[in-house]
Amino acid sequence: MKLTRALPLATLAAAVAAACQAQAQTEITVATVNNNDMVIMQSLTEEFETQHPDIELDWVVLEENVLRQRLTTDVATGGGQFDVMTIGTYEVPIWAERGWLTPLDDLPADYAVDDLLQSVRDGLSHDDTLHALPFYGESSMMYYRQDLFDEAGIEMPEQPSWEEVRDWAGQLHDPDNEVAGICLRGKPGWGENMAFVSTLVNTFGGRWFDEAWNPELESPAWQEAIGFYVELLGDYGPPGASSNGFNENLALFSRGNCAMWVDATSAAGKLYDPDESDVADRLGFAPAPVAETPKGSHWLWSWALAIPASSEKQEAAETFITWATSREYVELVGETEGWTSVPPGTRESTYANENYQQAAPFADFVLEAIRDADPTDSTLEPTPYVGVQFVGIPEFQSIGTQVGQTIASALTGDVSVEQALQTAQRATERTMQRAGYLD
């Protein structure tokens, strides 16, 4: 008779524990945007799963416009396809009011909610309760090639104007050497070209709606702002500007193909990283330019992590989002990726960190821009809505996208600025009438 040797008790216990763990492991699906900070987050999957062996992360990483469409459809239908959604200050209050998001009212003490920047917390709250945790926050600013400015004898004032920017773009535009005078968002989408265009219209004195919700897209301010934008990019922008969103322009600027770029403050970390940017040692920055008024000249946004109410794995999802938005995560990224790569714009402690202050010369400037942006007072004339670069109503997602497409058509020369704004005005009026805002 053949005898089978019994396993040592310790080995047997370990095997049983491993089997139980495998059975108990929860897989959560995380949907996020293909921005640099989120790519870093995805790269740290192993770090999270090592700390939390009972949770496995399944990533769905999408281009911004596609992400928004997919998430909106899923959350509105209660599809339950995702356990963690990357959404922003536009969606959170609207979706929370409809009961689509899980309230985050019982976070662990060591998460340090009070360390979150107040303006960012407010933007991600409904009825004074957080419904998403900020992964990074941003305003907008102007980046420029200091070397090109020096060669041309241009001095950057404390607050540039759009008129000055046009003059500088004309001086610095050098297509023979693949340098555009200026790069700006042209890709259509309410969160792509219209995020920038809305701030441009604001500072030209315009607004989306008057106090009675009548659209004002054919106003003199809109005509002037969009005419300026189309002419500026047409004369001094890069080829194919209507296809360029945040990521495309970030790549162009970091390669040295833009003399100036007005966009998100969150790009600063990558642009100042010599491993990521060819212009890290010749980069200047300034406030977003102004025209008639400084009001609404720079936006306020936060990409945040939320748990849809339809998720069946909410406990594991909360474990992940508190980890990915914690002070400890910021430290982890600083130590592993470099301090210019940490997610900006969310925590007071980040800006108090000496390592970050030393690595990021833009730190205090960005913090001030985020604190200075006021979604409740972003236009020269009063409005019935909250938001700087968007209008905080459910209908804006479709309105902004449709208007963004008409603006892009003007940029490509398919229609005139006047025709584009006439089309945008009529379409917006119809949407607002159907939604009951207008008689």
Side-chain angles (χ1 to χ4, degrees):
M1 184 176 70
K2 185 177 179 182
L3 295 174
T4 303
R5 188 174 63 179
L7 288 171
L9 285 177
T11 305
L12 183 61
V16 171
C20 290
Q21 178 180 303
Q23 286 183 337
Q25 192 171 56
T26 301
E27 182 181 270
I28 60 171
T29 302
V30 182
T32 195
V33 68
N34 62 340
N35 289 352
N36 186 58
D37 291 278
M38 284 70 171
V39 171
I40 291 173
M41 175 172 60
Q42 187 184 10
S43 75
L44 294 171
T45 295
E46 187 176 342
E47 186 74 28
F48 172 78
E49 291 179 346
T50 299
Q51 294 179 30
H52 305 89
D54 56 330
I55 302 173
E56 182 180 348
L57 303 179
D58 176 36
W59 292 91
V60 177
V61 183
L62 301 167
E63 185 270 332
E64 187 170 318
N65 287 338
V66 177
L67 175 82
R68 287 184 161 128
Q69 187 176 32
R70 286 273 300 275
L71 297 190
T72 301
T73 300
D74 188 74
V75 77
T77 59
Q81 187 177 353
F82 307 106
D83 303 298
V84 173
M85 293 181 163
T86 304
I87 56 177
T89 44
Y90 166 72
E91 294 96 345
V92 173
I94 295 171
W95 292 7
E97 185 177 12
R98 296 181 172 192
W100 292 349
L101 301 178
T102 301
L104 302 168
D105 51 5
D106 191 25
L107 296 168
D110 61 1
Y111 182 73
V113 171
D114 291 342
D115 186 43
L116 299 176
L117 297 179
Q118 189 64 51
S119 59
V120 174
R121 282 174 61 184
D122 291 346
L124 299 176
S125 296
H126 173 64
D127 287 343
D128 296 323
T129 299
L130 278 166
H131 282 72
L133 301 182
F135 183 67
Y136 73 76
E138 64 181 33
S139 184
S140 52
M141 63 193 286
M142 182 168 134
Y143 304 97
Y144 63 94
R145 288 270 303 276
Q146 186 68 63
D147 58 328
L148 298 182
F149 269 60
D150 291 344
E151 288 170 14
I154 302 170
E155 288 192 21
M156 177 63 69
E158 190 173 327
Q159 172 60 71
S161 71
W162 277 111
E163 198 63 42
E164 289 172 319
V165 167
R166 177 164 54 190
D167 291 342
W168 299 335
Q171 293 180 59
L172 301 176
H173 189 59
D174 187 7
D176 291 341
N177 289 302
E178 297 185 341
V179 176
I182 190 163
C183 293
L184 299 169
R185 297 189 189 191
K187 179 189 287 187
W190 72 264
E192 278 283 9
N193 64 343
M194 294 315 296
F196 167 75
V197 166
S198 293
T199 61
L200 183 70
V201 169
N202 290 343
T203 194
F204 269 82
R207 56 186 175 175
W208 277 89
F209 301 98
D210 68 14
E211 290 183 280
W213 290 107
N214 294 295
E216 291 204 330
L217 280 76
E218 289 184 289
S219 67
W222 271 85
Q223 298 276 0
E224 186 179 1
I226 304 308
F228 176 88
Y229 165 76
V230 168
E231 184 179 305
L232 180 64
L233 274 182
D235 291 344
Y236 308 124
S242 63
S243 299
N244 295 339
F246 170 76
N247 283 326
E248 291 81 7
N249 282 322
L250 175 59
L252 284 170
F253 193 92
S254 64
R255 290 198 302 261
N257 298 126
C258 310
M260 294 177 285
W261 180 35
V262 180
D263 212 297
T265 57
S266 58
K270 185 165 185 175
L271 292 177
Y272 269 94
D273 183 349
D275 294 331
E276 300 277 355
S277 169
D278 294 337
V279 297
D281 60 345
R282 43 207 165 112
L283 180 60
F285 58 87
V290 301
E292 299 300 318
T293 175
K295 280 191 173 186
S297 60
H298 56 275
W299 66 63
L300 180 65
W301 181 256
S302 173
W303 277 115
L305 304 178
I307 304 170
S310 55
S311 170
E312 296 179 355
K313 304 164 185 175
Q314 297 196 7
E315 185 176 346
E318 185 171 316
T319 297
F320 172 70
I321 69 171
T322 53
W323 174 83
T325 61
S326 65
R327 290 177 296 188
E328 291 72 24
Y329 177 85
V330 171
E331 291 276 349
L332 174 64
V333 174
E335 291 166 4
T336 58
E337 305 291 328
W339 282 96
T340 58
S341 297
V342 304
T346 60
R347 289 188 171 273
E348 299 280 358
S349 56
T350 301
Y351 292 89
N353 188 302
E354 289 185 8
N355 293 315
Y356 186 61
Q357 285 283 344
Q358 289 174 8
F362 51 84
D364 290 337
F365 176 89
V366 169
L367 180 61
E368 187 61 30
I370 291 172
R371 285 176 169 163
D372 202 37
D374 186 357
T376 66
D377 186 20
S378 62
T379 55
L380 189 60
E381 300 294 330
T383 68
Y385 58 85
V386 173
V388 182
Q389 79 281 21
F390 60 79
V391 177
I393 58 174
E395 294 76 18
F396 183 74
Q397 187 164 352
S398 61
I399 289 171
T401 296
Q402 190 165 21
V403 174
Q405 290 166 345
T406 65
I407 299 298
S409 295
L411 192 57
T412 58
D414 292 338
V415 298
S416 69
V417 169
E418 186 177 0
Q419 289 171 326
L421 292 179
Q422 185 178 58
T423 300
Q425 174 76 13
R426 300 296 169 264
T428 305
E429 285 174 349
R430 287 194 297 272
T431 299
M432 296 301 279
Q433 285 168 348
R434 285 197 300 267
Y437 290 86
L438 302 174
D439 295 332

